[in-house]
Amino acid sequence: MTDLTAQERPGRDRITDIWGARTPFAAGEAWPDRVDEYLIDGVEADQVQNWVRGACLLCSNGCGLEVAVIDGRMVGMRGRADDRINHGRLGPKGLYGWQGEQEGRLTRPLIRRDGRLVETDWETAMGAIVERSKALLETKGPLSHGFYTSGQLTIEEYYTLCVIGKAGIGTPHMDGNTRLCTATASAAFQETFGSDGQFSSYTDIDSCDAIFLFGHNVAETQTVLWARMLDRLDGPNPPQLVCVDPRRTRVAERATVHLPIRNGTNLALMNALVHELITLDAVDHDYVDAHTVGFDDLARATSDATPEWAAEICGVPAEDIRRAAHIFASGERVVSTCSMGFYQSHQATAASCQVNNLHLLRGMLGRPGAGVLQMNGQPSAENNREAGCGAALPGFRNFENAEHVRELAALWNVDPLVIPAWSPPTNAMTMFRYAEEGSIGLLWIAGTNPAVSMPNLARIRSTLAGEQCFVVVSDGYLNETAELADVVLPTALWAEKTGTFTNVDRTVHLQEKAVDPPGEARTDLEIWVDYARRLGLKDKDGAPLLTWDTPEAAFEGWKACSAGRPCDYSGLTYEMLHERGGIQWPVNAEHPDGTERLYTDAEFPTHPDYCETYGHNLTTGTPVDRMTYLADHPDGRAVLKTVPYEPAYETPDEEYPFRLTTGRTVYHFHTRTKTKRAPQLQDAAPSAWIELSEPDALALGIREGDIVRVTSRRGHVDAPARVSHIRQGVVFAPWHYGSDAETAANELTVTAWDPVSKQPEFKVAAVAVQKLRDGDGPSPAPTITASAPVSKDDPWHGETNAAPPPSDAIASNSADVGSADGGR
Amino acid sequence: MRLPAHLAMLGDAERSLALTHRAVTSEHAADADVVLACARFARQCDERAQAVDAFAAERYPLKGETFNPLVAPDFGRAEGDSIGLLRDLAALHQFATRVQVTWEHVEQAGHGLHDRGLIALASRGFGDLDVQVKWVKHRMKNEAAQALIATG
Ligand code: SF4
């Protein structure tokens, strides 16, 4: 690491230099350190009183960092050089986003009186919640309660709520907004490997010879991971890069092959790639025979999926599909990542399973440089999945396995009948439906903003505002959802509390409390412990159900619950995490220092007594029953499966001729609750825009910056146009700007989801575009990311203009306009 | 031979099943997953109806005898809430099962006639209906507790 002066410090400007200086490295070498640091103006490093350890909580990367504190106030951040995830680097959100916690916070509880939210005290607020809770439990029973949480809480908080909901109240209605960002990652792992759990490692990037990014705009969604890839790309023996994305992202610009497919056609492409591998016989038959089931069915299901067939559907040349398949077929060490472009679509699980299948066919997993990273959107999405706060039992247990349920009942000392295992846990979309009809009479929303992030917002808002359901919101801010609540509880945010969370490659970090929360704000853990006590939740011997009230004690509870399961935390301690930074689970007696990658012995968690699921029909989502599952004898072998491609729920027609996709920009997180309060980030992307291609803009008489209206069957948004390199026929809207109904992209999206993961379809809706009026300058869209404007200086510009493809034409890598899409 | 009348009845039954699925989608528009699944199932029913009609016209044309149609159960007058959905799904389940069994009978006849084409057609039809029936059953299972306890 070089010693630099304050002015030269890397990371002083991560707005215009998003990925920072390159530190190239060759395959097999360690990624060099580069420490990024930002301190607010007027503060120098030697003035900092405390550097408090933790990790960034603004995307699923989870970069290790230290929080600079002076006089009880956060004044800056610096990356931890010894952390395995980032080796010191921080991206724009990591460096600047924390400032958003210092503005506009809720400091006192609020309660609705005569239609208005007014300040109150904790006693009154909690009293009102518990009174409603008790009344509903008496009259309607446990199914009257729903808990909708976040991908941003700590393990300790998730697990505490899991015990309240699943062992105390006994409701199946628990889900997280992880449903929107990561449900498909979980579902794809479960379908293929029998259990959730990322098996690869970020270090696989360090030695791979090819990287495939499927619907993953990593350059904007996990900037530090992209920096790692860039350093490989700029080093000796760089990997080949294949990018599947309808937008021309920065990833696409570096790609060996860019497949800017029509959004909504992922599975057609994936079936063709699998078809090609099988046709080329680039299959490791020994591996497949020994470690998988379903090869013959997979071969049959993809036998007609030729590159020519897929090219028609996807709108890319068959030759490019072949090139991509060839790169996969000839690679020795391939890493694939898969993200929102795949997850937020109608055949999301099937398409993501095909990514797993590519690797299984080639035996390309469980060794350095070879693996799959099914990405998460949010920072602690993984923990919501693991700790049973979402639609799953904790520890990746199988709700259809009576023994797993009994195990939990013994751990919690409750009657197994209390644990809601009689049907699949309820997903978020269904929970909101029940809240709409009032059969869920108390909906508790913690740390998330569904009034902006869910599909079909008008419906969600009227559900939350209605009398039929009592809505509790715990949040750091009075966001759009909180404004509709009956009771609002002010919560402590990141670095204002101690707790653990796990990133996308199973790396667990401990965030230590750096500063006090503002005013009367409390941690979600304190709030739920208080709720459980007030509600009088007991175990079967009459003792209090929750046996903890501190984060560390809650962590001990979680360790006991995770022991023996794939996500085994039993060997981890706060002390280890403090000393060493990120450590990958499982950590137990067998792996006391953590585990870099899983499935090194090709032994998969599909054994019927161990697996998390028996799988689903990928077309309908119907669960496979145990007997059918047993008949296939997976017993430690992975399951190869796919289904035929079907068109998206809504495809363009004469009235709505464009394909809408939604996504995010590098400078914001989720609904911007935090990032809009961080000046550097807000200034970099202050308001909404609509991206469309140059040929489409020309045809519609739209110029850069003109105000346009995008209309779907459900609503419209108005925003300035960015004429970008997006694929012709596709329109992109960032979904961060929902505070104003005029610019909330989710006003446009369909209420539809993947049948298995139940992840909403945010990536395809049919829309119309019209110009409303002239603009008065360029749109506010960032200019150095996927939303870069078409410009005369751009080397691709001439080619694009020379032969603009008609919207249904085939878009080639060299002459087209795609760019990648990231997602949440 | 009574197979021609049976096949004609089956084609009509698939069309009635398609209508039944469509009735569910319009009655329960708020349940997006039901709408999407039933709309897909309805399309598949229409396709199977065409397939069986075409096969029968070529190989087993009607010779005069017809069977009484399979009548879809009373349908679509339930409320659009959870309990209404549960009732409608139960009716759908009953009818889809009936159609599935009808395909099974055809498959048996195909074996008896050594007719590979008929066996293949019927076995596909039976398998497709199996997917539908399982989905409906699973969806009812998900809905039952909520409908019976938490509504009303
Ligand atoms: S990449 Fe993600 S975790 Fe790392 S600093 Fe940026 S926002 Fe934070």
Side-chain angles (χ1 to χ4, degrees):
Chain A
M1 189 178 76
T2 347
D3 216 8
L4 298 169
T5 67
Q7 287 320 306
E8 293 166 330
R9 256 184 231 139
R12 286 210 65 91
D13 183 9
R14 275 292 159 277
I15 296 297
T16 55
D17 183 16
I18 296 171
W19 303 282
R22 294 281 53 79
T23 50
F25 69 119
E29 291 176 0
W31 191 24
D33 297 345
R34 186 199 81 197
V35 174
D36 292 342
E37 178 181 309
Y38 169 71
L39 295 168
I40 55 170
D41 275 351
V43 170
E44 288 297 325
D46 57 7
Q47 295 171 282
V48 173
Q49 294 161 344
N50 272 322
W51 288 99
V52 181
R53 292 177 175 187
C56 177
L57 195 66
L58 284 168
C59 86
S60 59
N61 223 47
C63 297
L65 53 66
E66 290 172 303
V67 181
V69 180
I70 296 180
D71 296 336
R73 208 175 146 76
M74 288 191 271
V75 295
M77 294 293 144
R78 79 175 172 209
R80 269 182 81 165
D82 60 351
D83 195 273
R84 62 179 302 278
I85 296 301
N86 53 327
H87 294 258
R89 293 160 190 79
L90 293 175
K93 291 196 288 280
L95 277 183
Y96 311 121
W98 57 274
Q99 298 165 100
E101 295 193 0
Q102 297 178 327
E103 292 283 327
R105 293 287 298 280
L106 280 167
T107 55
R108 298 200 64 200
L110 306 174
I111 193 161
R112 191 164 297 279
R113 296 270 186 250
D114 302 323
R116 286 182 46 241
L117 282 174
V118 294
E119 286 196 353
T120 188
D121 54 41
W122 277 97
E123 191 55 37
T124 310
M126 292 303 291
I129 297 168
V130 170
E131 187 187 321
R132 180 60 71 108
S133 233
K134 283 184 170 165
L136 281 166
L137 288 172
E138 267 166 36
T139 54
K140 292 191 163 187
L143 276 66
S144 59
H145 280 55
F147 296 91
Y148 183 62
T149 52
S150 153
Q152 296 158 53
L153 303 177
T154 64
I155 295 180
E156 294 78 358
E157 290 165 337
Y158 292 129
Y159 184 59
T160 299
L161 184 61
C162 162
V163 176
I164 291 173
K166 290 189 162 72
I169 294 172
T171 176
H173 307 323
M174 303 182 77
D175 202 3
N177 64 3
T178 46
R179 180 66 54 194
L180 314 180
C181 73
T182 187
T184 302
S186 168
F189 282 134
Q190 291 184 52
E191 294 301 321
T192 307
F193 303 108
S195 172
D196 195 355
Q198 191 79 262
F199 54 88
S200 302
S201 168
Y202 274 9
T203 49
D204 290 330
I205 303 293
D206 304 351
S207 57
C208 65
D209 58 27
I211 305 176
F212 279 65
L213 294 115
F214 294 102
H216 182 201
N217 182 7
V218 60
E220 295 194 55
T221 56
Q222 285 90 10
T223 59
V224 173
L225 180 59
W226 178 235
R228 192 172 198 141
M229 294 178 184
L230 278 176
D231 285 343
R232 278 297 319 279
L233 291 169
D234 285 352
N237 53 38
Q240 301 199 71
L241 187 69
V242 175
C243 167
V244 177
D245 204 309
R247 296 172 72 208
R248 195 182 88 188
T249 54
R250 297 297 288 250
V251 177
E253 289 175 11
R254 294 297 303 261
T256 321
V257 178
H258 174 207
L259 296 167
I261 62 172
R262 294 189 181 102
N263 38 330
T265 65
N266 299 329
L267 186 59
L269 174 72
M270 294 313 299
N271 283 352
L273 290 176
V274 166
H275 169 100
E276 273 301 279
L277 281 199
I278 294 175
T279 304
L280 294 168
D281 199 24
V283 173
D284 182 338
H285 289 286
D286 291 343
Y287 189 96
V288 167
D289 290 349
H291 303 300
T292 70
V293 295
F295 176 76
D296 292 343
D297 287 343
L298 183 74
R300 234 187 333 269
T302 54
S303 61
D304 295 333
T306 61
E308 283 70 22
W309 166 84
E312 276 292 308
I313 293 168
C314 302
V316 293
E319 198 38 48
D320 286 358
I321 297 176
R322 281 213 168 78
R323 281 174 66 206
H326 187 78
I327 291 173
F328 204 100
S330 57
E332 290 296 317
R333 295 178 307 280
V334 181
V335 172
S336 293
T337 72
C338 191
S339 193
M340 303 308 149
F342 269 41
Y343 296 166
Q344 294 172 337
S345 60
H346 63 295
Q347 294 185 297
T349 304
S352 306
C353 283
Q354 282 287 46
V355 176
N356 297 339
N357 294 344
L358 285 174
H359 284 260
L360 286 165
L361 289 175
R362 300 268 300 120
M364 197 80 73
L365 63 167
R367 58 185 164 85
V372 180
L373 291 162
Q374 299 278 1
M375 299 302 292
N376 302 340
Q378 294 180 83
S380 71
E382 177 68 30
N383 306 119
N384 194 312
R385 278 150 53 181
E386 292 165 6
C389 195
L393 292 181
F396 301 153
R397 285 180 176 83
N398 186 348
F399 73 92
E400 292 186 285
N401 182 330
E403 194 44 48
H404 286 189
V405 176
R406 270 196 293 275
E407 243 172 57
L408 287 174
L411 178 75
W412 295 330
N413 194 31
V414 297
D415 182 342
L417 196 59
V418 176
I419 299 173
W422 64 85
S423 81
T426 315
N427 65 77
M429 320 296 279
T430 305
M431 265 170 55
F432 276 87
R433 167 81 184 96
Y434 290 159
E436 182 181 43
E437 74 173 9
S439 66
I440 285 182
L442 188 148
L443 181 64
W444 193 321
I445 299 168
T448 185
N449 192 8
V452 175
S453 55
M454 292 285 276
N456 201 343
L457 289 180
R459 188 172 163 192
I460 296 291
R461 285 179 180 144
S462 83
T463 297
L464 296 175
E467 293 289 314
Q468 82 295 350
C469 181
F470 188 81
V471 177
V472 180
V473 168
S474 353
D475 207 288
Y477 307 89
L478 188 63
N479 60 23
E480 293 78 2
T481 304
E483 280 170 7
L484 302 170
D486 295 288
V487 174
V488 181
L489 304 175
T491 57
L493 296 177
W494 174 82
E496 296 167 355
K497 60 187 178 185
T498 294
T500 51
F501 41 88
T502 306
N503 88 333
V504 80
D505 85 338
R506 290 174 286 108
T507 301
V508 188
H509 282 102
L510 172 68
Q511 176 64 53
E512 296 168 36
K513 180 176 171 179
V515 295
D516 286 328
E520 296 176 18
R522 294 181 181 173
T523 67
D524 291 278
L525 181 70
E526 289 169 318
I527 291 168
W528 283 326
V529 168
D530 184 30
Y531 173 66
R533 303 241 156 105
R534 286 171 188 262
L535 211 53
L537 296 179
K538 301 269 195 294
D539 70 11
K540 66 182 183 197
D541 296 328
L545 180 69
L546 290 180
T547 53
W548 55 79
D549 51 15
T550 65
E552 194 160 5
F555 188 69
E556 291 301 315
W558 163 241
K559 281 165 60 177
C561 181
S562 71
R565 296 299 300 163
C567 51
D568 192 337
Y569 285 66
S570 58
L572 264 180
T573 63
Y574 271 23
E575 197 185 333
M576 282 164 73
L577 291 165
H578 171 83
E579 288 305 325
R580 290 167 45 186
I583 301 175
Q584 289 171 287
W585 65 245
V587 191
N588 50 23
E590 203 183 326
H591 306 283
D593 294 320
T595 310
E596 189 167 24
R597 39 187 86 69
L598 310 182
Y599 312 153
T600 49
D601 53 0
E603 183 66 25
F604 302 105
T606 48
H607 193 280
D609 295 334
Y610 189 70
C611 66
E612 184 179 7
T613 179
Y614 303 131
H616 296 80
N617 177 313
L618 295 184
T619 300
T620 62
T622 312
V624 172
D625 60 74
R626 185 177 164 97
M627 294 313 288
T628 310
Y629 184 74
L630 289 176
D632 284 338
H633 300 294
D635 299 328
R637 292 185 286 175
V639 180
L640 295 166
K641 56 159 96 167
T642 190
V643 287
Y645 160 77
E646 289 181 10
Y649 296 124
E650 199 175 73
T651 50
D653 55 23
E654 270 187 19
E655 201 180 345
Y656 300 100
F658 292 92
R659 283 173 188 257
L660 172 80
T661 183
T662 65
R664 58 183 168 167
T665 177
V666 66
Y667 302 113
H668 286 302
F669 178 64
H670 213 63
T671 63
R672 287 189 311 135
T673 312
K674 262 182 212 169
T675 50
K676 74 179 171 194
R677 294 177 166 93
Q680 296 92 336
L681 300 175
Q682 178 61 8
D683 291 350
S687 54
W689 69 92
I690 298 293
E691 264 170 65
L692 69 168
S693 74
E694 191 174 37
D696 289 333
L698 279 172
L700 294 165
I702 293 168
R703 289 169 313 162
E704 168 71 31
D706 285 351
I707 308 303
V708 297
R709 169 164 294 182
V710 179
T711 311
S712 77
R713 287 182 177 83
R714 292 151 295 278
H716 69 264
V717 302
D718 297 343
R722 162 56 44 89
V723 181
S724 80
H725 293 287
I726 197 164
R727 183 191 166 96
Q728 190 177 354
V730 178
V731 173
F732 170 84
W735 64 277
H736 305 292
Y737 302 93
S739 42
D740 177 353
E742 289 292 283
T743 57
N746 285 340
E747 301 284 356
L748 304 170
T749 48
V750 295
T751 303
W753 50 86
D754 173 67
V756 183
S757 69
K758 312 290 193 295
Q759 188 158 349
E761 161 88 299
F762 285 130
K763 297 297 186 197
V764 197
V767 294
V769 181
Q770 70 185 109
K771 175 175 165 176
L772 291 182
R773 57 182 182 276
D774 286 344
D776 49 12
S779 80
T783 55
I784 53 172
T785 60
S787 49
V790 169
S791 98
K792 298 289 172 201
D793 302 324
D794 188 296
W796 291 16
H797 179 78
E799 293 174 72
T800 307
N801 265 356
S807 65
D808 262 353
I810 292 202
S812 93
N813 178 32
S814 54
D816 177 12
V817 280
S819 107
D821 179 26
R824 310 269 117 174
Chain B
M1 184 159 81
R2 318 194 70 174
L3 179 63
H6 189 83
L7 290 175
M9 179 186 75
L10 179 55
D12 289 341
E14 284 281 13
R15 273 180 285 275
S16 298
L17 184 57
L19 290 177
T20 310
H21 279 299
R22 294 199 170 100
V24 178
T25 63
S26 55
E27 285 299 316
H28 301 284
D31 291 284
D33 64 325
V34 175
V35 171
L36 297 167
C38 288
R40 182 196 294 116
F41 291 148
R43 282 196 303 276
Q44 294 171 352
C45 291
D46 286 337
E47 285 163 17
R48 279 192 304 276
Q50 279 175 10
V52 73
D53 284 357
F55 193 90
E58 196 186 316
R59 303 284 298 276
Y60 304 101
L62 269 180
K63 294 265 169 49
E65 184 187 32
T66 54
F67 289 165
N68 286 338
L70 294 182
V71 181
D74 220 11
F75 207 81
R77 287 195 298 273
E79 297 295 306
D81 62 5
S82 290
I83 194 77
L85 177 63
L86 191 61
R87 284 199 201 127
D88 283 351
L89 289 176
L92 181 59
H93 182 261
Q94 188 188 354
F95 192 44
T97 307
R98 185 77 172 84
V99 178
Q100 185 186 17
V101 166
T102 308
W103 277 111
E104 192 172 30
H105 299 166
V106 173
E107 187 174 348
Q108 293 303 98
H111 284 290
L113 290 165
H114 307 171
D115 183 338
R116 284 210 169 75
L118 188 59
I119 295 170
L121 181 75
S123 129
R124 264 202 313 278
F126 182 86
D128 286 359
L129 261 300
D130 193 49
V131 170
Q132 290 195 15
V133 168
K134 282 189 173 138
W135 178 85
V136 179
K137 197 160 178 215
H138 146 79
R139 190 61 182 80
M140 281 195 292
K141 209 174 150 190
N142 283 3
E143 199 71 23
Q146 192 71 14
L148 295 176
I149 303 172
T151 59

